[in-house]
Amino acid sequence: MNRAKKYAVITGASAGLGVEFAKRFAAEGYSIILIARRKDRLESVKEQIKDYMDKGTECIVMPADLTNMDDCKMLADSIKEKPVAFFINNAGFGDCGEFVETDLSKDLDMIDLNVKALHYLTKRVLRQFKRQGGGYLLNVASSAGIIPAGPYMATYYATKAYVVSLTRAIARELKESRSNIYIGCLCPGPVDTEFNENANVEFSMKGISASYCVNYAVDMMKKRKVVIIPTLLMRTLMFSGRFIPQNLYIANISKRQRRKVW
């Protein structure tokens, strides 16, 4: 089957990394399925990637609120008969502030999206890949998911730790069963997207471009790298963190996070 008959499915596709994933897979000749809450923004992305798409491919816009489990089920059901080559679990958001002061409903929506929706879609898509005989699934996490804890972004760090732990465990299971299915997690540091505004945060480090992050991630997926950290600086920081006592590590993260709170 040629690539035009296969699909790359991207959640959180209305901005940032989602748009760049759409461009990359469209340029590689895949048909695209875009998922996010706002149809108007998805239609705008569809226009943006038109010039990247080959003749014979299609771009499907699928509005869905993945904090709602009914919408997660709708998405999984709607793609179950399609030959999905890549599934990018990109939808997610963060928040910044003292835990007792941040909005509880926003925390719970974050858990619904970053954890529950991702978990549900990961299981449904992997089962589909097993029936298909293969596929690539990438869970977009964060370098926050590799760090012991993140004061002042406590819920966000906890959700991303879940994503990293889940992905690593599944990757090991697939390896031991000699499956050709790929699963990995993308763990970047700061990326120049709308994340900052949505999370009420300013990064203390310079962000990388969304385009660079995505192209690096896709290249590493194809090399079957499980935990993907796009920059040498972040890889060095993550590695050196293993040798620092955790209480000191968390205290240092806390100091950095306090500078971010508006």
Side-chain angles (χ1 to χ4, degrees):
M1 185 180 294
N2 63 42
R3 288 182 176 182
K5 301 296 185 183
K6 294 184 179 181
Y7 290 84
V9 184
I10 304 148
T11 72
S14 62
L17 295 178
V19 176
E20 296 302 326
F21 275 114
K23 290 177 181 177
R24 171 68 187 256
F25 290 123
E28 291 192 358
Y30 294 96
S31 289
I32 308 295
I33 300 177
L34 305 172
I35 298 103
R37 288 179 301 169
R38 292 173 52 182
K39 184 177 180 180
D40 60 331
R41 294 191 65 170
L42 291 177
E43 293 289 354
S44 175
V45 175
K46 184 176 180 178
E47 282 297 310
Q48 289 180 54
I49 69 171
K50 186 182 295 184
D51 291 341
Y52 293 84
M53 300 189 71
D54 291 341
K55 185 177 180 180
T57 59
E58 65 175 339
C59 180
I60 299 172
V61 164
M62 192 178 297
D65 180 358
L66 299 182
T67 62
N68 183 325
M69 196 52 62
D70 288 339
D71 280 16
C72 292
K73 184 176 186 301
M74 177 274 294
L75 166 58
D77 288 345
S78 67
I79 66 171
K80 67 181 180 181
E81 302 302 328
K82 295 185 183 296
V84 175
F86 292 90
F87 190 95
I88 310 297
N89 249 329
N90 175 60
F93 71 93
D95 195 19
C96 191
E98 190 175 352
F99 182 78
V100 296
E101 300 296 336
T102 50
D103 184 77
L104 178 57
S105 63
K106 191 172 184 180
D107 285 352
L108 296 178
D109 283 347
M110 197 188 312
I111 293 168
D112 284 343
L113 184 59
N114 294 10
V115 175
K116 291 175 65 177
L118 179 139
H119 184 111
Y120 179 88
L121 292 171
T122 295
K123 188 175 286 283
R124 288 289 305 270
V125 171
L126 289 178
R127 287 175 174 173
Q128 178 171 338
F129 284 172
K130 189 173 182 179
R131 294 193 303 272
Q132 291 180 179
Y136 289 77
L137 189 152
L138 183 71
N139 288 328
V140 176
S142 166
S143 58
I146 308 173
I147 293 169
Y152 303 100
M153 291 188 78
T155 305
Y156 176 73
Y157 273 61
T159 63
K160 293 305 183 180
Y162 182 93
V163 174
V164 174
S165 178
L166 180 74
T167 303
R168 280 174 156 168
I170 296 168
R172 184 65 201 182
E173 291 177 12
L174 292 172
K175 182 176 182 179
E176 291 184 2
S177 66
R178 294 181 171 82
S179 173
N180 65 342
I181 297 169
Y182 167 86
I183 188 171
C185 55
L186 174 59
C187 297
V191 183
D192 294 330
T193 67
E194 293 180 358
F195 178 91
N196 293 14
E197 181 179 347
N198 293 333
N200 298 319
V201 67
E202 288 183 345
F203 287 124
S204 56
M205 296 172 57
K206 180 176 173 56
I208 60 174
S209 73
S211 175
Y212 173 83
C213 183
V214 163
N215 285 317
Y216 183 87
V218 175
D219 291 345
M220 290 301 103
M221 287 172 67
K222 293 179 178 180
K223 294 180 179 179
R224 307 187 77 82
K225 179 75 172 174
V226 174
V227 178
I228 301 169
I229 305 173
T231 64
L232 177 60
L233 174 60
M234 289 308 303
R235 291 195 293 273
T236 301
L237 291 173
M238 295 299 99
F239 179 78
S240 61
R242 300 176 187 178
F243 305 101
I244 302 171
Q246 287 201 353
N247 62 327
L248 295 180
Y249 196 2
I250 295 169
N252 184 53
I253 295 298
S254 179
K255 183 178 179 181
R256 289 177 177 272
Q257 296 292 76
R258 282 200 305 271
R259 297 174 187 166
K260 299 178 182 179
V261 181
W262 287 359

